[in-house]
Amino acid sequence: MPALACVDAAATPPPGYAFARHPSSLLAPEAFSGGAPPAANAASPIFDSVSCRWSTELSAELYKIDGWGTPYFSINASGNISVRPHGSETLPHQEIDLMKVVKKASGGKSAGGLGLQLPLIVRFPEVLRNRLHSLQAAFDSAIKSYGYDSHYQGVYPVKCNQDRFLVEDIVEFGSPFSFGLEAGSKPELLLAMNSLTKGSPEALLICNGYKDEEYVSLALTARRLDLKTVIVLEQEEELDTVVEVSRALGIRPVIGLRAKLRTKHSGHFGSTSGEKGKFGLNTMQILSVARKLEKMDMLDCLQLLHFHIGSQIPSTALLADGVGEAAQIYCELSRLGANMQVIDVGGGLGIDYDGSRSGGSDMSVGYSLDEYAAAVVRSIMKACDRKYVRHPVICSESGRALVSHHSILVFEAVSSAPSDYAPHNLELAHLMEELGDECRTHYRNLMAAAVHGDWDTFSASADKLKRQCIEMFKDGSLNLEHLAAVDGVCELVAKSMGVSDPVRTYHINLSVFKSVPDFWAIGQLFPVLPIHHLDRRPAVNGVLSDLTCDSDGKMDTFIGGKSSLPLHEIGGGGGYYLGMFLGGAYQEALGGLHNLFGGPSVVRVSQIDGPHSFAVTRAVPGPSCADVLRAMQHEPELMFEALKRRAEDCAAAGGDALACGLARAFHSMPYLVCAGGEAHVDVADCVLVANSDDDDSAPSRYGSTDGLSSMLSSACSDEEWDLFTA
């Protein structure tokens, strides 16, 4: 029986394919020399427009840089991401080429680089300064515009990113505005106390979080050190602890209350607001605290009202509603005799992750800094004027908005896997002939549907063919070549019909769990894109798969709701670098050690007037294998000694070389050494101290390496290492 007897004689083969005619075999698709037509489901109209010449402007539109990146990020004439450290006030010669920073950080020392291994966090302190000044300017402008009779005095919640140098920068940059800090735990309180000793004496130290006697004692000690400390009650019972400890120490406290508002927004970040929120006191508890303080002749200690609607407040309408409710509570506390001075509107000032400026999702907000500040000032002023209450100092805890833009996570794509399988057409006919009768029937139906362009019938027949073949494979009646031939035929025909999935998997030298934990945990999206080649047309759509042995270790959803990311082909030497932007808040603190992948290397880059417009003022290598092992209670020095003895016993002639390799493995970062990277790490170079005015004696922010340095130097010489690697 002819193989395609069921097909209309006038039918034509799918575009790009012909059918091999052989009297005794099933038909196999044979590709024309021109190849298959382009897939029909490319990422976007820009990506599809092959007729136009590509430009950096098209890349900016494709990746929405002008939406989420303004005014700090753009694309320069070389097709690289350009950082504008002073925002809209950045002059052309002050722009920093991100690719040049990466080459400086990761380049070999013999070529003038720092020899750091990727992944890499690049911090821009001038961006941080600009964010802080912009926030202050927005409130100053609103206060002046409305005739508000007080001032704005913000604090940075250190939980967003506790990095020492970032916190110190904020204290320094905010000192002219008496900008303070907020802490939510004892270690955060300690670092805040230490940092504020170098800041403005008027800066506030807000103490949030659950409290025990030790926490309260530490907060009161801060008051003894002349820091303007406010202990915010999260629970009613904390009042008893504050009163008891303050009497024992002889230090009169300044107390704040966190109000549990009725106002609530519906997004993920609104779960900490509303009547069922995790934190705060309801109206009955607020009245109870005020009456207790009055009975103890301590009502004058109550000076601050704090509330938090939730992070990423989507609109100024919701913001004004919540601030208005809180301002009424503030006025009522003032009426009851409390010495109210400050209203702390908490966090919630959002950023535009996807560039849409929309209030309809957690990925964007529908307002600017100026509009946010105006809504806050207007709502407080309206409530206070109605009740004839003096305008309070306005405080906010706008951590996300302050620090998200200042750092960029840079990582490398090390390889890509094509999505389609290309079988050898000459073998297909023979392999398909050996299938059973039922499978051949499904195959004929599949091919007939392809000829007629009937995708639904094709899909159903392909599914039946694959299911039948896998059952035969499980029974042992089909071998691997047959199974691969069936998959290959289905893929080839689907591709010829223009419905094949063109998405490739790009393998990235990164741990999503460590560096982008919010993507995995709550589905938070961040702008991700290549940091170079942006003057070239992207060639493929891709998803990103990390190094961890976990199926969740991937990025397959991107801003704009896209399920793939336009990418360039990997090749041509020099590596392919991607950047994740707007991740300066929370990601470093929340990241875990899945598969014992530690944090990235870090560089601090300042803008200078010079030929390259930047200087690396601090460089810290990422934690080594020894560091992450130590974090899990292992003892790398003892581990090395045990392995060294085993090497000596197992390879008497080459034991020293093996020990040398082991020692260097302990010193290396857990991530891959990619093309163009340093082949190994010199122990003497493991610590980079770039700040000449820093008096730190610690060799590394991740722990001492003295023991490992000595074990490496005793294990092998450079000549032995060269022999070992050869």
Side-chain angles (χ1 to χ4, degrees):
M1 175 180 178
L4 280 182
C6 58
V7 180
D8 191 296
T12 57
Y17 284 85
F19 295 112
R21 299 291 180 181
H22 193 284
S24 63
S25 68
L26 291 170
L27 302 179
E30 178 181 288
F32 285 140
S33 59
N41 57 340
S44 71
I46 299 174
F47 195 59
D48 272 343
S49 59
V50 295
S51 60
C52 66
R53 185 175 180 179
W54 199 256
S55 66
T56 56
E57 289 77 14
L58 288 174
S59 283
E61 185 177 351
L62 177 63
Y63 296 109
K64 303 183 183 297
I65 297 174
D66 293 337
W68 57 261
T70 302
Y72 300 106
F73 307 109
S74 61
I75 305 175
N76 61 26
S78 299
N80 300 336
I81 288 292
S82 180
V83 180
R84 308 179 71 213
H86 309 295
S88 58
E89 299 177 358
T90 305
L91 301 176
H93 73 276
Q94 295 175 323
E95 294 189 10
I96 299 173
D97 189 319
L98 181 59
M99 196 61 202
K100 290 182 179 179
V101 174
V102 173
K103 291 298 185 184
K104 175 67 176 179
S106 63
K109 295 187 177 180
S110 60
L114 298 175
L116 295 179
Q117 189 176 339
L118 267 62
L120 177 72
I121 288 177
V122 186
R123 300 196 196 281
F124 294 94
E126 281 87 6
V127 171
L128 183 64
R129 185 200 301 268
N130 185 268
R131 292 298 294 174
L132 194 153
H133 285 202
S134 297
L135 177 63
Q136 185 72 40
F139 272 98
D140 288 348
S141 176
I143 285 169
K144 181 178 180 181
S145 175
Y146 288 107
Y148 189 82
D149 194 22
S150 190
H151 65 277
Y152 170 75
Q153 191 174 333
V155 296
Y156 168 64
V158 297
K159 68 178 181 181
C160 289
N161 192 325
Q162 299 97 338
D163 180 82
R164 168 191 165 186
F165 304 105
L166 183 148
V167 174
E168 290 179 354
D169 279 343
I170 288 176
V171 170
E172 177 187 346
F173 300 156
S175 185
F177 316 115
S178 299
F179 211 87
L181 298 174
E182 180 269 348
S185 67
K186 285 177 272 191
E188 286 186 350
L189 179 53
L190 285 168
L191 76 85
M193 290 168 62
N194 177 68
S195 298
L196 285 176
T197 59
K198 304 170 186 176
S200 167
E202 299 302 315
L204 293 172
L205 173 53
I206 305 295
C207 300
N208 290 330
Y210 295 117
K211 302 167 189 70
D212 59 8
E213 290 185 7
E214 193 173 65
Y215 187 125
V216 173
S217 177
L218 188 60
L220 291 171
T221 299
R223 279 196 59 75
R224 181 64 58 83
L225 299 178
D226 291 332
L227 298 175
K228 292 192 175 300
T229 310
V230 182
I231 302 174
V232 178
L233 304 182
E234 305 275 2
Q235 297 175 302
E236 183 179 358
E237 55 265 31
E238 289 177 352
L239 176 62
D240 296 332
T241 304
V242 171
V243 172
E244 290 171 9
V245 175
S246 65
R247 286 174 174 172
L249 296 178
I251 303 172
R252 198 165 179 83
V254 173
I255 297 173
L257 296 177
R258 175 164 178 166
K260 187 177 290 186
L261 303 183
R262 311 292 176 91
T263 304
K264 174 179 171 57
H265 78 77
S266 58
H268 167 82
F269 296 109
S271 60
T272 54
S273 63
E275 290 184 273
K276 304 298 184 182
K278 178 179 177 182
F279 304 104
L281 284 66
N282 59 32
T283 53
M284 294 181 294
Q285 293 169 324
I286 290 172
L287 276 175
S288 176
V289 167
R291 287 166 178 164
K292 286 180 181 179
L293 287 171
E294 184 178 23
K295 289 180 180 179
M296 293 183 287
D297 197 25
M298 294 179 66
L299 193 54
D300 63 305
C301 295
L302 179 55
Q303 299 183 18
L304 178 144
L305 179 71
H306 170 50
F307 66 94
H308 180 65
I309 301 173
S311 295
Q312 284 287 107
I313 297 173
S315 68
T316 53
L318 177 63
L319 172 68
D321 192 27
V323 173
E325 179 186 351
Q328 294 295 339
I329 296 174
Y330 179 94
C331 292
E332 289 299 298
L333 288 171
S334 182
R335 179 182 64 82
L336 292 172
N339 183 26
M340 301 303 292
Q341 304 288 328
V342 181
I343 185 167
D344 181 354
V345 302
L349 173 54
I351 61 171
D352 193 352
Y353 286 104
D354 63 12
S356 66
R357 188 163 174 154
S358 166
S361 76
D362 291 332
M363 306 306 162
S364 184
V365 292
Y367 53 82
S368 64
L369 275 179
D370 290 333
E371 291 167 336
Y372 173 88
V376 170
V377 172
R378 185 172 57 246
S379 299
I380 296 173
M381 185 174 178
K382 179 180 179 181
C384 290
D385 287 350
R386 281 183 176 179
K387 296 292 182 71
Y388 301 100
V389 172
R390 184 179 60 188
H391 296 169
V393 174
I394 300 175
C395 177
S396 77
E397 302 176 6
S398 307
R400 184 187 301 269
L402 276 180
V403 303
S404 291
H405 298 76
H406 95 286
S407 72
I408 303 169
L409 174 68
V410 178
F411 52 95
E412 191 169 4
V414 296
S415 65
S416 66
S419 62
D420 58 328
Y421 167 69
H424 299 289
N425 292 333
L426 294 179
E427 300 177 4
L428 286 178
H430 174 70
L431 292 171
M432 299 300 289
E433 179 69 25
E434 296 176 353
L435 299 178
D437 291 340
E438 188 174 355
C439 288
R440 287 198 295 268
T441 299
H442 294 320
Y443 175 72
R444 292 188 187 101
N445 294 337
L446 176 155
M447 297 303 293
V451 168
H452 288 290
D454 183 352
W455 167 249
D456 291 336
T457 302
F458 168 82
S459 180
S461 299
D463 184 60
K464 291 176 183 178
L465 176 61
K466 288 184 178 182
R467 283 192 283 111
Q468 181 67 28
C469 287
I470 193 61
E471 292 303 319
M472 295 174 66
F473 179 74
K474 292 176 182 178
D475 292 339
S477 53
L478 283 186
N479 59 32
L480 189 61
E481 289 85 352
H482 291 101
L483 205 60
V486 169
D487 288 340
V489 166
C490 293
E491 177 64 28
L492 275 175
V493 178
K495 189 173 183 180
S496 76
M497 297 176 72
V499 292
S500 178
D501 183 5
V503 176
R504 288 192 194 175
T505 297
Y506 275 57
H507 304 287
I508 55 175
N509 195 15
L510 187 75
S511 165
V512 168
F513 302 95
K514 181 61 182 178
S515 295
V516 203
D518 271 350
F519 177 87
W520 162 72
I522 62 173
Q524 175 68 46
L525 301 182
F526 299 91
V528 177
L529 68 154
I531 65 170
H532 58 153
H533 300 324
L534 295 172
D535 54 346
R536 308 178 193 175
R537 183 189 311 279
V540 295
N541 291 316
V543 296
L544 308 179
S545 177
D546 76 356
L547 296 179
T548 64
C549 301
D550 195 304
S551 58
D552 286 332
K554 62 183 178 181
M555 301 181 73
D556 55 3
T557 308
F558 304 91
I559 61 171
K562 303 294 185 181
S563 58
S564 62
L565 184 69
L567 297 168
H568 305 86
E569 294 280 5
I570 296 178
Y576 187 55
Y577 298 95
L578 303 169
M580 186 201 79
F581 296 77
L582 308 186
Y586 296 108
Q587 304 315 297
E588 294 173 57
L590 292 176
L593 288 177
H594 195 9
N595 274 151
L596 294 187
F597 285 107
S601 302
V602 180
V603 292
R604 186 176 188 269
V605 177
S606 294
Q607 185 270 318
I608 61 170
D609 293 329
H612 298 296
S613 73
F614 73 89
V616 177
T617 57
R618 176 167 295 278
V620 181
S624 67
C625 292
D627 293 324
V628 294
L629 286 166
R630 192 177 291 110
M632 300 303 291
Q633 309 304 312
H634 296 278
E635 299 183 54
E637 291 80 9
L638 297 181
M639 295 168 66
F640 169 74
E641 290 299 330
L643 291 171
K644 180 182 177 183
R645 287 193 297 271
R646 184 63 174 261
E648 292 168 348
D649 293 341
C650 294
D656 289 343
L658 290 176
C660 173
L662 288 168
R664 290 189 182 273
F666 276 105
H667 271 291
S668 67
M669 284 180 67
Y671 295 93
L672 304 182
V673 178
C674 300
E678 298 264 293
H680 59 84
V681 179
D682 291 327
V683 174
D685 297 329
C686 278
V687 180
L688 298 174
V689 181
N691 280 11
S692 58
D693 61 345
D694 191 349
D695 59 358
D696 277 353
S697 58
S700 162
R701 67 171 181 162
Y702 299 105
S704 173
T705 59
D706 292 343
L708 287 174
S709 298
S710 61
M711 78 184 184
L712 177 60
S713 60
S714 65
C716 61
S717 65
D718 288 340
E719 291 77 9
E720 288 172 327
W721 173 247
D722 292 338
L723 178 62
F724 176 78
T725 56

